[in-house]
Amino acid sequence: MLLYCKQYMDFKNDLNERQYEAVTTDLLHVRVVAGAGSGKTRVLTYRIAFLLSEMQVDPWRILAITFTNKVAGEMKDRVIKLVPDAAKHLTIKTFHSFAAFFLRQEIHVLGFPTSFTIIDEEDQLKLIKDIAAELGFKKSDPIVKKAINYIGSKKLKEQYPDDVVIEHEFFEGEKSCLEIYSRYEEAKNNMLSLDFDDLLLKTNIILENYPDIKNKWRNRIDHILVDEFQDTNDTEYKMLSLLKRPDCSLYVVGDPDQTIYTWRGANQKIILDLKDRFPDIETIILDRNYRSTQTILDSANMLIAHNKMRVKKDLYTENGKGEPITVKSCSTTRVEADFVSRQIKRLVEVEGYSYNNIAILYRSNYITQEFEQSFTANHIPYRIYGGQKFYQRREIKDVIAYFNLIVNIKDDLSFERIMNVPRRGIGETSIALIKKEAKEAGLSMYEYVKALDADESEAPKKAINSLKSMIIVIDKTREDVNKNEEAFAKPLEDMLVSFDYYNYLLKEDDGDERCENVRALFSDIRHYLQVNPEADFSDYLQNIALLSSQDEMISGEFVTMMTVHTAKGLEYPIVFIVRVNEGVFPHMRSQIESGYKGLEEERRLFYVAMTRAMKLLYLSFSCDFSYVAGGNLVPSKFLKESGNEVVSRTDSYSSYGRPKQYHFDDIRDDEERQEKPKVVQSSSIGAKTNGITGWKVGDIVIHKTLGRGVVIAVEGNEIIRVRFDEHGEKTIMGNHPFVSRG
């Protein structure tokens, strides 16, 4: 055992009383309920440092799991500053990056090479569209979206195509979705590729079915630490359970009040019910907030107290009371956008704040249009996150496709992408012919073209010869990369120059910007090598394949605009939460589909939004006419619940010039019905009931959002249980204005 010495660290003085208790506990199972801004990253960092320096745990026997690659890197940097000697052997990763790390070593038992490619969502969509076209559908057909959702839902249940048996279609087109799923898996396997879900599923398959491998990894790990544990899903928790020996410590940090990803599988019950799984578990609550003012925290505490599914806590701070929360009613959405612009100009030009101190948060991306127009008109620099990522830009995807072929010559998606990039005179007909011939030969397109005599293909000789020349360059680059593992950026740049790729980009109107993006990619490679000197080319490709929106955030002199989901884990001195209207925030569809549980998640999402603010918080809403709602928008119930009630207003006008008056008493108080698992009626967004009563089992339902369904149960005068063709079973209000009889 190596001895690790702490550096610049005084546990007692560096931590508050609760943090110190959480860091130094010697219990086997620990649940740290860490409120927003309570220093959870600090606690996790010091916990790892404590294990290393005080308990003399070897760093390679610690597995720490974080929510994003960015946080993983920051946490590792902090630990290294505290315990420098431990740097080389620390394992701090996301679930997906750990799974990829595991599979690079163990996937051979499933007949896969360790050089597999990870495909992203864009590549997944292209592959599914191609398969749908092979089956006679159009690439724009709704079956494509159905198939994507179907594949995701099956993988969430750990079901591959062979595990699915359809006796009766649950929705129209299910058999077609299963056929697409089956062909999708076959295509991925032929390309030696995995999607994000596969990383987790195949890790669990190996751990479940290969006891020697499971025991080897179990015996390596004495301590498992997990950040953002409230967002863990069943597949991820299963992985932890398979890796954990009975005497292995489990230390989880999270906040049930910040569970905002149940729509993609997060299971809040895992953190809430941990006491049932481990009766000896210790729960430590971190309730001192270091981020916000007490005024902001009091409002957030008041809001989240309306939720039932939580661990009770009230955040407090020693930062002082701070400024009141500003609540602004606006007659139209455009007036709301202009109000935000005026405030930003005042904050920057009069109060002395910087643009990068300010964030605009919203429930859904569609809201940004009027704010973008107003910011542009008022010369306010801004950047939207959660839109197109850097690594999703066309020129970056092109270059990465070349990179992927250096590692994996069976990657048909990458090969097809760059066959005519830069232009080589290869048309769609030639691509289709080569694709067909390669499939008939049982080879990847790369392998087929490389072995092909130009006379043996129906494709034009010029096209074949051009591709052969390209392959020669890629093969040479592969050799150079393997020879120069510690400086692989240079041969990659030389490859692009040999293809005249930069001049190809410069022929476009925005060519200069695209070239700069490619140069930024190579700067990123060099930076990655500096930070990770032991990494190879495959490690770099894996890292960029697993990046999230938050990982790609950069600082600059601009206002940040993003959804609340993207803002998770971030903080800003000034936060504007905009379009705080019923049906918008809380989102109407979430309530319709998930009832009170959906409302609780929306409330948690608003709580997360509020607690991003450090000094100033603005809440704004519009009283505009909404064609979606069928009436004028009204303020969200979350304003009243958070103590930011506007009693009445008579000087706002709709787009038709009619005076608009509203009272919060008009907003339905759902807590009076919180015991009943039913959907919130949307009378609060200006819509009327449909007047339909007397629903019976077997009745056909047509829902504006969810489509066609059949009533399978009647649970009261207004509540019906419906099996929808595309969305499964839902409990809805039978008299909701979106509902009609079929």
Side-chain angles (χ1 to χ4, degrees), residues 104-151:
R104 294 289 179 200
Q105 300 175 60
E106 309 294 356
I107 200 171
H108 60 87
V109 299
L110 300 182
F112 247 68
T114 57
S115 59
F116 61 84
T117 301
I118 301 171
I119 67 172
D120 61 21
E121 292 176 353
E122 183 181 327
D123 291 333
Q124 182 186 43
L125 175 61
K126 183 187 184 305
L127 186 54
I128 290 173
K129 282 183 174 181
D130 289 345
I131 293 168
E134 290 173 6
L135 292 173
F137 297 99
K138 295 180 180 178
K139 291 187 178 183
S140 58
D141 196 286
I143 196 68
V144 171
K145 185 175 181 180
K146 280 187 182 181
I148 291 172
N149 293 334
Y150 184 77
I151 292 169

Side-chain angles (χ1 to χ4, degrees), residues 265-289:
N267 184 355
Q268 190 188 24
K269 286 176 65 64
I270 295 174
I271 188 171
L272 290 175
D273 297 346
L274 215 53
K275 182 75 173 175
D276 298 333
R277 302 169 192 262
F278 303 103
D280 65 332
I281 198 166
E282 177 183 21
T283 296
I284 300 170
I285 296 177
L286 305 182
D287 51 6
R288 180 181 172 183
N289 176 284

Side-chain angles (χ1 to χ4, degrees), residues 81 223 236 250 254 262 268 287 334 399 434 437 441 486 531 539 548 655:
K81 288 178 182 177
H223 295 268
E236 293 163 344
L250 178 65
T262 62
Q268 190 188 24
D287 51 6
R334 179 68 199 205
V399 175
I434 295 169
E437 292 170 359
E486 295 182 0
V531 176
D539 292 330
S548 69
S655 57

Side-chain angles (χ1 to χ4, degrees), residues 180-223:
I180 293 173
Y181 186 15
S182 181
R183 293 196 182 199
Y184 169 73
E185 288 301 313
E186 181 183 0
K188 278 199 300 92
N189 290 339
N190 290 339
M191 292 189 299
L192 305 180
S193 298
L194 304 179
D195 61 27
F196 291 168
D197 291 326
D198 290 328
L199 297 174
L200 304 178
L201 296 185
K202 292 192 183 297
T203 296
N204 286 353
I205 287 170
I206 293 172
L207 290 171
E208 276 190 298
N209 295 286
Y210 295 87
D212 290 346
I213 294 176
K214 181 177 76 172
N215 290 332
K216 176 178 72 176
W217 283 81
R218 277 188 163 196
N219 290 332
R220 290 181 182 181
I221 304 170
D222 291 335
H223 295 268

